[in-house]
């Protein structure tokens, strides 16, 4: 098994390397790739020193599986080249998700999609979508799913290292005002926001991502990717994506309209038995940070619609939301015999 990690020095790449070691992923040779700025660095992995290669000029031959976390722009250029050299590319960016010839996969939900990979590329879903897929699939299978209303609470790490640094810097500037509970957003100069449209410390920004039309690209991703993964192309989905001052962990408030009546206790059991799910009455991003499963709670009836259900989900956007699912796809490819161990 010869593995390549693209974007190996980035935020998700770091998590990928850690998870590969934790899960004892079967590797004979590993190669790390990054931009010219990081090329030449030496990283320690499974007790060996690995020199980072420049992805622009490297020879990709001999790679069996390539894990990509180097952004959509780079992926559009590099993924076809790496696939043409013989690798199966598992891409963590938005570049290939809605391509009809590229499977969009959460292994616990739709691993069967891996039986057809015509371009040699598999897409990893958006981190917010990912958090919801296992419980939503279980509910859809048991009761049918007619409509989804999702309100997201997305951590700043979803915007990369720049988002984390911006929140940390603004918290530091706020200083005494926060500790004295006098911070009102105007009494402290937080500096000009760069990663987000408004200051994020002590704030909530009801526009995560960038506007495409009346909605943001994050809202489009949740709708389009949910339909593709759940194999419900006509599913009605309304989403509002919100950025919150949390470092790690996305949360989603879901209001679902089901096709069939349900008993709430039986439905809770259906969710509890879904793979990669933990039930907790009060799911929070702090509880979800650093663990693999999504945490589901506040499960209750939504009496505003027929067969209505409300629930709240939190999950680690850097772990299951990005790095872990990418590796689980690679594991599924091995288990299914698509890639030789």
């Amino acid at each position: 098994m010869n593995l390549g990690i693209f974007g190996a020095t980035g935020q998700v790449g770091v998590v990928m390397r850690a998870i590969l070691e934790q899960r004892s992923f079967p590797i004979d040779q590993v190669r790390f790739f990054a931009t010219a700025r990081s090329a030449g660095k030496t990283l320690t992995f499974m007790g060996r020193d690995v020199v980072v290669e420049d992805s622009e000029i490297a020879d990709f031959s001999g790679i069996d599986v390539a894990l990509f976390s180097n952004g959509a722009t780079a992926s559009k250029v590099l993924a076809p080249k790496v696939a043409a050299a013989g690798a199966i590319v598992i891409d963590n960016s938005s570049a290939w998700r809605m391509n009809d010839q590229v499977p969009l996969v959460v292994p616990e939900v739709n691993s069967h999609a891996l039986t057809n990979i015509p371009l040699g590329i598999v897409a990893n879903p958006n981190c917010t979508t990912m958090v919801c897929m296992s419980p939503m699939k279980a509910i859809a299978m048991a009761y049918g799913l007619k409509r989804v209303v999702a309100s997201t609470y997305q951590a700043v790490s979803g915007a990369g290292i720049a988002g984390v640094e911006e929140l940390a810097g603004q918290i530091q500037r706020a200083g005494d005002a926060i500790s004295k509970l006098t911070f009102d957003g105007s009494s402290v100069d937080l500096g000009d926001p760069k990663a987000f449209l408004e200051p994020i410390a002590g704030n909530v920004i009801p526009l995560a991502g960038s506007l495409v039309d009346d909605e943001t690209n994050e809202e489009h991703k949740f709708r389009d990717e949910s339909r593709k993964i759940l194999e419900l192309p006509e599913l009605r989905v309304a989403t509002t994506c919100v950025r919150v001052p949390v470092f790690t962990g996305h949360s989603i408030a879901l209001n679902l309209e089901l096709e069939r009546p349900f008993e709430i206790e039986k439905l809770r059991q259906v969710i509890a038995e879904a793979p990669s799910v933990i039930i907790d009455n009060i799911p929070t991003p702090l509880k979800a940070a650093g663990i693999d499963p999504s945490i589901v709670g506040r499960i209750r009836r939504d009496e505003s619609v027929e067969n209505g259900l409300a629930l709240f989900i939190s999950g680690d956007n850097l772990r299951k939301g990005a790095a872990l699912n990418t590796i689980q796809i690679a594991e599924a490819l091995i288990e299914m015999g698509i890639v030789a161990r």
Side-chain angles (χ1 to χ4, degrees), residues 37-296:
R37 184 177 58 185
S38 297
K41 290 182 178 178
T42 299
L43 303 175
T44 301
F45 180 78
M46 292 186 175
R48 345 171 192 173
D49 289 338
V50 182
V51 177
V52 178
E53 302 177 52
D54 185 344
S55 57
E56 292 294 322
I57 60 174
D59 177 0
F60 305 128
S61 59
I63 300 173
D64 297 310
V65 174
L67 309 182
F68 267 52
S69 187
N70 48 356
T73 301
S75 179
K76 286 177 182 178
V77 175
L78 288 174
K81 293 180 180 179
V82 177
I88 291 182
V89 173
I90 305 171
D91 181 53
N92 193 48
S93 79
S94 61
W96 301 96
R97 290 173 186 155
M98 300 315 299
N99 188 308
D100 290 339
Q101 293 185 287
V102 175
L104 180 65
V105 175
V106 178
E108 300 94 325
V109 175
N110 65 333
S111 60
H112 59 272
L114 293 172
T115 58
N116 184 27
I117 313 175
L119 300 184
I121 301 170
V122 180
N124 201 49
N126 177 265
C127 48
T128 312
T129 311
M130 186 94 64
V131 169
C132 301
M133 285 301 96
S134 183
M136 283 178 65
K137 178 66 173 181
I139 293 167
M141 291 290 289
Y143 301 100
L145 189 55
K146 292 174 63 175
R147 182 171 184 256
V148 178
V149 178
S151 300
T152 75
Y153 303 78
Q154 296 178 218
V156 294
S157 54
I161 293 172
V164 174
E165 290 177 344
E166 187 149 310
L167 175 58
Q170 289 177 2
I171 289 173
Q172 189 173 10
R173 289 189 193 97
D176 291 342
I178 290 178
S179 65
K180 295 175 182 176
L181 303 180
T182 59
F183 178 60
D184 64 7
S186 60
S187 60
V188 178
D189 180 12
L190 296 177
D192 294 329
K194 295 181 176 61
F196 307 111
L197 294 175
E198 299 285 342
I200 186 63
N203 205 12
V204 166
I205 305 172
L207 195 155
S210 55
L211 283 170
V212 176
D213 36 45
D214 287 339
E215 295 186 314
T216 70
N217 59 344
E218 290 287 311
E219 289 155 355
H220 277 265
K221 289 174 190 176
F222 189 92
R223 174 185 297 109
D224 297 341
E225 294 175 21
S226 295
R227 287 171 171 171
K228 185 173 181 178
I229 296 165
L230 297 173
E231 299 173 329
L232 296 171
E234 303 302 320
L235 182 64
R236 291 180 290 160
V237 182
T239 309
T240 301
C241 290
V242 180
R243 192 71 68 184
V244 296
V246 169
F247 285 107
T248 300
H250 288 349
S251 299
I252 303 94
L254 287 177
N255 289 75
L256 308 179
E257 184 179 354
L258 310 187
E259 291 181 347
R260 296 184 288 278
F262 60 89
E263 296 179 16
I264 194 68
E265 289 307 319
K266 288 185 178 179
L267 188 142
R268 284 196 181 99
Q269 190 62 34
V270 165
I271 297 173
E273 292 174 357
S276 300
V277 167
I278 293 174
I279 299 292
D280 188 313
N281 287 335
I282 307 178
T284 69
L286 274 180
K287 290 177 181 176
I291 67 171
D292 295 345
S294 295
I295 306 175
V296 183

Side-chain angles (χ1 to χ4, degrees), residues 5 7-23 27 30 32 42-46 50 52 67 323 327:
I5 302 179
T9 60
Q11 184 176 229
V12 175
V14 171
V15 181
M16 278 184 184
R17 290 189 274 123
I19 293 174
L20 285 165
E21 294 204 45
Q22 292 165 7
R23 295 173 76 88
I27 298 172
V30 68
F32 295 153
T42 299
L43 303 175
T44 301
F45 180 78
M46 292 186 175
V50 182
V52 178
L67 309 182
I327 293 164

